Amino acid sequence: MNYEILYTFMLATMALSVSPGPDNIYVLMQSLVNGKKYGLATTAGLISGCLVHTSLLAFGVSLIIRESEALFMGIKVLGAIYLFYLAFKVFRSSGSLNLSEGVAPKKGLWQLFKQGFIMNVLNPKVTIFFLAFFPGFLFSEEISTMVQFYVLGLLFMFISFIIFSMIAFLSGSISVYFKENSAAGIYLKWLQIIVFVGIAVYILVSDN
């Protein structure tokens, strides 16, 4: 096992989870509107949905790897291109965070869990992102690729859950900070760009 690859994957996941995106912004807004435990319910739903995407990736890509290494390399290259595209989209964005838009009405815990789960499962962009992100971080020649994808998926889910939960608990402070510090959105914008480009470059140069 190559633990350096796992550590790199964990750091990249942490950076992605912290960077403002639709999921953690949604958790933040639900926490502000409904309360912290409702933000946690939303987080649990979103993270649970990742298991579906991990399974699709584990079964599908593992089969592709067995069939053709060249095809797998093509997936990695396309994945890197997709990450460069995401970095470009973030670069073109304004970088401002408006937390007053799209405030959702109050809902129950189970409703928020289901909504988070369905939002994640039915979002094809999550599957595409997993397909772009995970293949560059296979960490062992002895362990089956299917098991490795599940290990990466569970690590991704665990780290994302911890950080999203922190966002829920600190939602009030985070909201005040962004309202008082307009430049924070710009810094997070460039963090996203650096993370996307960094992961793309890593995938291209990795030989696993």
Side-chain angles (χ1 to χ4, degrees):
M1 284 180 58
N2 191 327
Y3 289 100
E4 290 185 2
I5 292 177
L6 282 177
Y7 297 148
T8 303
F9 176 83
M10 292 168 68
L11 287 172
T13 299
M14 289 174 61
L16 286 167
S17 299
V18 171
S19 302
D23 285 349
N24 51 19
I25 294 295
Y26 183 66
V27 169
L28 176 61
M29 295 309 303
Q30 291 296 344
S31 302
L32 288 171
V33 172
N34 297 294
K36 295 178 176 58
K37 66 179 180 179
Y38 295 89
L40 290 175
T42 303
T43 295
L46 288 168
I47 300 304
S48 298
C50 291
L51 192 57
V52 176
H53 297 287
T54 300
S55 298
L56 292 173
L57 181 68
F59 285 96
V61 177
S62 295
L63 179 62
I64 290 174
I65 293 172
R66 287 198 296 269
E67 295 296 328
S68 171
E69 288 189 12
L71 186 56
F72 179 59
M73 179 58 67
I75 288 175
K76 288 175 60 176
V77 171
L78 288 175
I81 292 172
Y82 179 67
L83 291 167
F84 282 128
Y85 166 72
L86 291 179
F88 179 71
K89 281 188 66 177
V90 175
F91 176 75
R92 293 287 301 274
S93 68
S94 66
S96 60
L97 293 175
N98 190 343
L99 300 181
S100 63
E101 292 183 349
V103 177
K106 288 182 175 292
K107 294 183 178 181
L109 292 172
W110 177 241
Q111 284 180 302
L112 288 172
F113 176 87
K114 287 194 299 182
Q115 185 168 312
F117 180 82
I118 293 170
M119 277 177 56
N120 189 286
V121 170
L122 297 184
N123 186 353
K125 292 182 179 179
V126 179
T127 300
I128 295 171
F129 179 76
F130 274 33
L131 184 60
F133 184 36
F134 282 24
F137 292 91
L138 294 175
F139 52 87
S140 174
E141 294 182 0
E142 291 79 28
I143 303 174
S144 74
T145 52
M146 185 178 296
V147 171
Q148 291 184 68
F149 279 129
Y150 271 110
V151 170
L152 293 175
L154 291 173
L155 277 174
F156 183 91
M157 291 168 64
F158 176 75
I159 294 170
S160 298
F161 181 81
I162 294 298
I163 292 179
F164 280 25
S165 297
M166 291 174 63
I167 290 173
F169 278 113
L170 300 174
S171 56
S173 300
I174 292 172
S175 176
V176 170
Y177 178 79
F178 280 120
K179 288 176 181 177
E180 294 179 350
N181 297 270
S182 57
I186 302 298
Y187 296 139
L188 290 174
K189 168 184 173 177
W190 282 101
L191 171 63
Q192 280 186 291
I193 293 172
I194 292 169
V195 170
F196 284 140
V197 171
I199 294 172
V201 171
Y202 177 85
I203 288 173
L204 289 175
V205 301
S206 64
D207 58 0
N208 50 325

